[in-house]
Amino acid sequence: MTDTDAAALAERVREGDLRLYELEKHADADTAAAARRLLVAEHSGVDLSTSGAYAFDAADAESNVENMLGAIQIPLGVVGPVEIRGGALSGEHYLPMATTEGALLASVNRGCAALTTAGGAGARVLKNRMTRAPAFRVADVAEAEALSSWVRDNVGALREAAESTTSHGELKEATPYVVGNTVFVRFGYDTKDAMGMNMATIATEEACDVIEAETTASLVALSGNLCTDKKPAAINAVEGRGRTVAADVSVPRETVEGTLKTTPEAVAEVNTRKNLVGSAKAGSLGFNAHVANSVAAMFLATGQDAAQVVEGANAITTAEVDGDGDLYVSVTIASLEVGTVGGGTTLPTQSEALDVLGIRGGGDPAGSNADALAEAVAVAALAGELSLLSALASRNLSSAHASLGR
């Protein structure tokens, strides 16, 4: 690529010979990006040289973004190492986290230190179901009931159709829901190491063809919002979406007092009054302190769909003093949508972050790497919850931010 090539391409856009989205057809991806920078800089009067100083080939991002002109760089940090005793991830691991929020990694790192001192955090994926829920129109409630019965009786036929579109995904369930003359069918898939939203959508469309051919139903929308993707939803809190994952730890009293500068009783009370009672009074779907912080930072670092932090914040934190006087804390995330293949995971820097965890690409058995990532995110969230609850219990939250200059 040369500046002359980019300038010539930009001139063709100015003259109306080309459109922005057509540039890749007439030049390599980096030249096309440079031409767009020239045009946007000229229009806005902004110097975009920093946005243009990215370290990977623009062609590597062609499946991830359209009309590329550069890249946004988000600071990448690390917490740990933290001892994890998971079903798919075990041993000491550094956790990569990308954020612009000062003090976040310092807080999570303090929690990681407490987890490791306590012998590590347990973690398990409890359920794996990526969902897609199309909406069908029928004549009346009698037809709605008939369609629901047909779906329940013909899951095998729907599975055969759906799985014909993929060599990896498995249809695990198809559950009908009726609202008047609208029937939603919530399809649930095991998508292995892929986050699986595209996989589920394509498979569900094939299954919908079977429903329309065999019943009186008409498909209105391939997504009827009962899925529910990228929106707060109680159904995700109850039934789960993506991975339902939990992490927990029992922190000895001496560690709570020495490392976290508080007591098990104080942490448990803060959690009850803040995360449980306060969240209930607010009508919240997430009963936690700041799980979204850890989810978002790990999503950005590892190439996940950032908008799905909405569902990833759907978590409940518990804290109690156990029979030995130690502090038991758990985080259960109902709908964590993660993958280690496809999407943003293929980008160079995000691939490196997955390599830090040792879980890039497809795992053996299939699904194990995505399970491992879910467990890592849950442990990061647990560390963040433990640290923040302890800071609140010791009344050190504002002083910690002040000392870090945040």
Side-chain angles (χ1 to χ4, degrees):
M1 178 197 78
T2 67
D3 291 343
T4 302
D5 295 331
L9 206 58
E11 183 58 30
R12 292 182 64 183
V13 175
R14 292 189 196 96
E15 293 176 351
D17 183 39
L18 289 176
R19 298 183 181 181
L20 279 177
Y21 64 82
E22 296 176 322
L23 298 190
E24 273 86 0
K25 298 178 183 178
H26 300 270
D28 64 84
D30 287 298
T31 302
R36 291 192 189 95
R37 282 198 304 280
L38 286 172
L39 291 162
V40 174
E42 179 183 279
H43 184 270
S44 63
V46 175
D47 180 2
L48 294 173
S49 57
T50 303
S51 299
Y54 49 89
F56 55 89
D57 292 334
D60 291 340
E62 285 184 333
S63 63
N64 302 103
V65 68
E66 296 76 42
N67 292 341
M68 179 175 168
L69 59 77
I72 295 293
Q73 299 178 68
I74 301 173
L76 175 66
V78 68
V79 298
V82 59
E83 182 70 27
I84 298 175
R85 297 177 282 102
L89 187 67
S90 60
E92 278 196 342
H93 292 272
Y94 285 104
L95 306 181
M97 304 178 77
T99 186
T100 57
E101 181 180 348
L104 174 59
L105 268 69
S107 177
V108 177
N109 202 48
R110 184 174 79 129
C112 285
L115 296 182
T116 297
T117 301
R124 290 295 187 278
V125 171
L126 307 174
K127 188 177 181 181
N128 174 14
R129 293 288 187 275
M130 177 48 68
T131 60
R132 179 53 87 201
F136 294 91
R137 179 180 64 252
V138 293
D140 50 33
V141 293
E143 282 196 9
E145 189 279 329
L147 174 58
S148 298
S149 296
W150 186 94
V151 168
R152 285 190 288 265
D153 292 341
N154 290 274
V155 174
L158 296 175
R159 179 178 296 113
E160 182 179 356
E163 294 181 5
S164 70
T165 67
T166 173
S167 58
H168 301 290
E170 297 180 24
L171 177 62
K172 294 297 186 180
E173 58 203 22
T175 307
Y177 296 83
V178 173
V179 180
N181 63 353
T182 302
V183 179
F184 303 89
V185 181
R186 196 170 193 254
F187 291 84
Y189 298 87
D190 179 348
T191 56
K192 309 305 179 187
D193 285 304
M195 182 270 284
M197 191 68 268
N198 290 338
M199 183 189 300
T201 298
I202 293 168
T204 298
E205 185 172 31
E206 194 73 16
C208 287
D209 289 344
V210 175
I211 291 175
E212 286 194 301
E214 298 295 330
T215 74
T216 60
S218 296
L219 178 66
V220 175
L222 189 55
S223 172
N225 270 12
L226 199 72
C227 310
T228 296
D229 189 38
K230 301 174 183 176
K231 292 167 282 291
I235 194 168
N236 288 344
V238 176
E239 298 294 337
R241 188 171 196 259
R243 261 79 177 175
T244 299
V245 59
D248 67 356
V249 66
S250 184
V251 186
R253 177 174 290 273
E254 55 267 28
T255 299
V256 177
E257 295 174 347
T259 301
L260 301 174
K261 310 304 182 186
T262 184
T263 65
E265 290 81 5
V267 174
E269 182 177 11
V270 168
N271 188 73
T272 297
R273 296 186 186 277
K274 169 186 170 64
N275 285 344
L276 304 185
V277 178
S279 296
K281 179 63 175 175
S284 176
L285 287 178
F287 287 64
N288 61 81
H290 68 148
V291 165
N293 259 329
S294 295
V295 173
M298 290 204 68
F299 269 29
L300 291 172
T302 61
Q304 309 306 305
D305 189 332
Q308 290 178 328
V309 172
V310 173
E311 299 99 289
N314 205 334
I316 298 176
T317 298
T318 71
E320 61 189 72
V321 182
D322 66 20
D324 296 322
D326 298 329
L327 175 65
Y328 174 83
V329 182
S330 76
V331 171
T332 303
I333 305 176
S335 44
L336 189 70
E337 294 134 331
V338 295
T340 55
V341 299
T345 68
T346 62
L347 292 169
T349 52
Q350 287 81 350
S351 294
E352 288 178 359
L354 289 169
D355 282 336
V356 168
L357 290 165
I359 55 173
R360 177 159 62 107
D364 185 17
S368 58
N369 276 357
D371 283 350
L373 178 55
E375 291 176 357
V377 173
V379 169
L382 176 67
E385 292 292 278
L386 177 60
S387 182
L388 178 52
L389 289 172
S390 298
L392 290 167
S394 62
R395 301 188 180 184
N396 284 330
L397 179 62
S398 61
S399 61
H401 279 266
S403 67
L404 288 170
R406 311 295 195 249

